[in-house]
């Protein structure tokens, strides 16, 4: 089976800050002009319409026209995307809100939504003829990269905090990656990656420091639109670490509006962080002027333990443009919510996803979200990988 019949229409990569273009035909990291993330732009073809999607494969590669892999033979896919949107009936009764939904990303390859971004980034590394990929990770990105590199026949180096639960390490080893452990958080792993890059000619796929993982994660935005029949929710809660999913969904909404698939209405985007590591909350509240000043601690939700998100400016922009805001949730409350959701709804979700439920409860009580709004929670990963910590 061909992974995608349609041709990518990638036209440009530009600096997200000043708009200066860089070549799409060689590996790129961040913009040389402003040291900011690069963003991909497409020449939307007229044939790319909601109706055209109907008979396409049930993976995120159904949106191939707006994904950056130029030659479909380079696509490295394990069946990521087109995850279900679930109506958690018993939770809605508990909350007294009729219109809450969970997009459940736990069924993705390697058990998290990281598969989306990594599938695209590894495909691009293959397209550029690179022999391997390297990444600093809090856990899930490393496992996903190891798996996709195995599928691509490429080398993988994963750098992870020593305190990460064993399962995240073991999956990297099983997928044949070289695993390095560093005392500290993902920001300390990033320093190690910067050193190692000098020795290995590998593609550095650090979060938002290359433009392709964002493209993979934006497919969540396309799916949300398609699955809700192009009527977006009023509010989306998203567990924000590096912010790729938040920025990605926002980009997808803009692309779909440009193609006439949706109107100008947008959800309020709410970034949920861990109380232990909440740089965006602190930045939003004006307590720091840049996340670089922030010192974070580990969290049970290791995907949220990102003290210095590189795409800080883009995250802030999405919150402002959407009328949303960030909130922080305690580890203990996440843990309680994981258990409650498991025995109420039969879903064993990641603590990152459970954090959204805690935030939703608080925001409903505070009147910041109305009980009649259409609310979507993004459960980004599987709780099964966290059993050791639960
Ligand atoms: C990485 C991760 C996050 C955070 O995603 P970003 O795109 O970096 O904001 C949230 N949840 C889980 C389970 C993750 O693995």
């Amino acid at each position: 089976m061909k992974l995608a019949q349609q041709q990518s229409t990638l036209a440009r990569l530009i600096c997200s800050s000043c708009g200066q273009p860089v070549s799409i035909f060689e590996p790129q990291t961040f913009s040389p002009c402003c040291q900011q993330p690069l963003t991909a732009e497409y020449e939307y073809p007229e044939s790319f319409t909601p109706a055209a999607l109907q008979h396409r494969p049930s993976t995120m590669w159904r949106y191939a026209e707006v994904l950056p892999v130029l030659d479909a033979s380079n696509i490295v896919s394990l069946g990521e995307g087109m995850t279900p949107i679930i109506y958690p009936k018993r939770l809605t009764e508990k909350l007294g809100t009729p219109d809450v939904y969970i997009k459940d990303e736990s069924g993705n390859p390697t058990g998290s939504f990281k598969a989306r971004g990594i599938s695209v980034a590894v495909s691009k590394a293959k397209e550029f003829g690179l022999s391997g990929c390297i990444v600093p990770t809090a856990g899930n990105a490393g496992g996903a990269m190891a798996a996709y590199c195995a599928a691509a026949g490429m080398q993988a180096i994963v750098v992870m905090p020593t305190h990460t639960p064993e399962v995240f390490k073991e999956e990297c080893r099983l997928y044949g990656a070289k695993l390095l452990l560093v005392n500290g958080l993902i920001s300390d792993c990033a320093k190690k990656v910067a050193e190692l890059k000098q020795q290995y000619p590998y593609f550095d796929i650090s979060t938002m420091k290359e433009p392709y993982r964002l493209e993979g994660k934006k497919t969540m935005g396309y799916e949300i639109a398609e699955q809700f029949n192009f009527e977006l929710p009023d509010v989306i809660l998203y567990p924000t670490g590096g912010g790729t999913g938040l920025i990605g969904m926002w980009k997808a909404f803009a692309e779909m509006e440009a193609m006439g698939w949706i109107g100008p209405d947008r959800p309020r985007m709410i970034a949920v962080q861990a109380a232990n590591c909440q740089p965006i909350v602190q930045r939003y509240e004006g307590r720091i002027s840049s996340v670089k000043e922030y010192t974070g601690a580990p969290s049970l939700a290791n995907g949220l333990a990102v003290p210095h998100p590189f795409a800080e400016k883009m995250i802030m922009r999405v919150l402002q443009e959407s009328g949303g805001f960030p909130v922080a949730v305690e580890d203990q409350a996440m843990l309680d919510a994981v258990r409650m959701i498991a025995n109420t709804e039969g879903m064993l979700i990641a603590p990152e996803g459970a954090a959204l439920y805690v935030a939703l409860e608080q925001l409903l009580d505070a009147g910041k979200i109305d009980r009649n709004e259409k609310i979507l929670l993004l459960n980004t990963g599987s709780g099964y990988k966290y059993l050791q910590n639960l």
Side-chain angles (χ1 to χ4, degrees):
M1 185 180 72
K2 267 179 129 179
L3 296 164
Q5 263 88 32
Q6 290 73 29
Q7 185 62 40
S8 169
T9 61
L10 178 66
R12 278 172 297 280
L13 284 174
I14 58 164
C15 169
S16 62
S17 187
C18 75
Q20 191 163 307
V22 298
S23 168
I24 62 169
F25 298 110
E26 44 193 278
Q28 298 288 355
T29 52
F30 46 87
S31 75
C33 42
C34 307
Q35 324 285 308
Q36 287 294 310
L38 292 169
T39 50
E41 293 191 341
Y42 300 83
E43 306 280 3
Y44 312 118
E46 277 186 13
S47 58
F48 188 47
T49 61
L53 298 173
Q54 263 175 31
H55 302 290
R56 293 198 180 179
S58 198
T59 77
M60 66 174 205
W61 294 98
R62 65 202 276 105
Y63 311 110
E65 285 95 331
V66 289
L67 289 172
V69 181
L70 300 177
D71 178 345
S73 69
N74 291 320
I75 293 175
V76 185
S77 173
L78 297 169
E80 53 292 322
M82 275 319 258
T83 55
I85 292 182
I86 289 162
Y87 181 61
K89 189 160 182 296
R90 281 166 42 90
L91 288 183
T92 61
E93 284 161 8
K94 211 176 158 79
L95 287 165
T97 52
D99 236 4
V100 180
Y101 303 86
I102 301 176
K103 185 161 174 66
D104 187 14
E105 292 288 304
S106 66
N108 274 308
T110 69
S112 89
F113 77 142
K114 289 291 192 303
R116 294 178 186 266
I118 304 287
S119 172
V120 175
V122 171
S123 300
K124 285 304 287 185
K126 188 174 167 199
E127 188 150 272
F128 291 127
L130 299 172
S131 59
C133 294
I134 182 166
V135 78
T137 175
N140 276 321
M145 194 192 82
Y148 283 88
C149 281
M154 290 168 68
Q155 306 296 313
I157 301 180
V158 176
V159 186
M160 197 182 280
T162 310
H163 64 75
T164 314
E166 202 52 38
V167 61
F168 293 95
K169 299 173 188 165
E170 198 50 42
E171 68 173 341
C172 291
R173 295 186 191 109
L174 282 167
Y175 291 128
K178 182 172 171 152
L179 177 68
L180 298 168
L181 301 175
V182 167
N183 282 319
L185 292 176
I186 187 171
S187 42
D188 303 293
C189 298
K191 287 176 203 145
K192 185 79 191 165
V193 165
E195 266 170 53
L196 287 167
K197 256 175 25 185
Q198 313 304 322
Q199 299 164 39
Y200 295 93
Y202 290 176
F203 194 29
D204 172 7
I205 66 163
S206 303
T207 305
M208 294 302 289
K209 288 187 182 164
E210 56 71 40
Y212 307 117
R213 284 172 64 186
L214 178 65
E215 295 305 290
K217 280 199 178 164
K218 91 180 172 192
T219 58
M220 291 190 295
Y222 277 89
E223 290 175 21
I224 290 165
E226 205 186 341
Q227 291 170 315
F228 280 129
N229 208 13
F230 300 95
E231 303 235 344
L232 298 180
D234 300 309
V235 185
I236 294 181
L237 283 86
Y238 175 80
T240 305
T244 328
L246 186 88
I247 301 162
M249 285 186 280
W250 198 244
K251 182 171 191 279
F253 299 152
E255 292 179 359
M256 284 186 283
E257 186 180 357
M259 292 187 287
W261 292 19
I262 58 171
D265 290 348
R266 293 284 186 282
R268 305 201 297 290
M269 305 295 280
I270 297 179
V272 179
Q273 299 214 288
N276 285 356
C277 194
Q278 44 166 305
I280 296 298
V281 177
Q282 296 298 312
R283 171 82 174 76
Y284 183 88
E285 291 177 356
R287 279 192 269 270
I288 51 175
S289 59
S290 157
V291 295
K292 291 190 194 97
E293 296 164 24
Y294 186 75
T295 309
S299 167
L300 175 68
N302 49 28
L304 303 187
V306 183
H308 307 147
F310 182 65
E312 145 179 36
K313 287 192 181 137
M314 296 174 90
I315 297 172
M316 295 298 289
R317 210 185 299 156
V318 173
L319 298 180
Q320 269 142 17
E321 286 177 10
S322 77
F325 50 85
V327 288
V329 170
E330 299 287 343
D331 271 24
Q332 185 59 48
M334 293 181 209
L335 192 61
D336 295 344
V338 167
R339 292 213 169 90
M340 186 280 291
I341 294 166
N343 65 52
T344 304
E345 207 54 62
M347 295 174 75
L348 186 48
I349 71 177
E352 289 86 342
L356 307 181
Y357 181 87
V358 179
L360 175 59
E361 233 177 3
Q362 290 169 2
L363 295 171
L364 287 168
D365 287 345
K368 291 195 177 168
I369 298 178
D370 191 88
R371 284 187 202 275
N372 289 315
E373 292 192 284
K374 179 163 151 184
I375 303 158
L376 181 68
L377 312 180
L378 259 295
N379 173 43
T380 44
S382 168
Y384 285 89
K385 291 176 90 171
Y386 298 76
L387 287 177
Q388 186 193 334
N389 281 28
L390 298 172

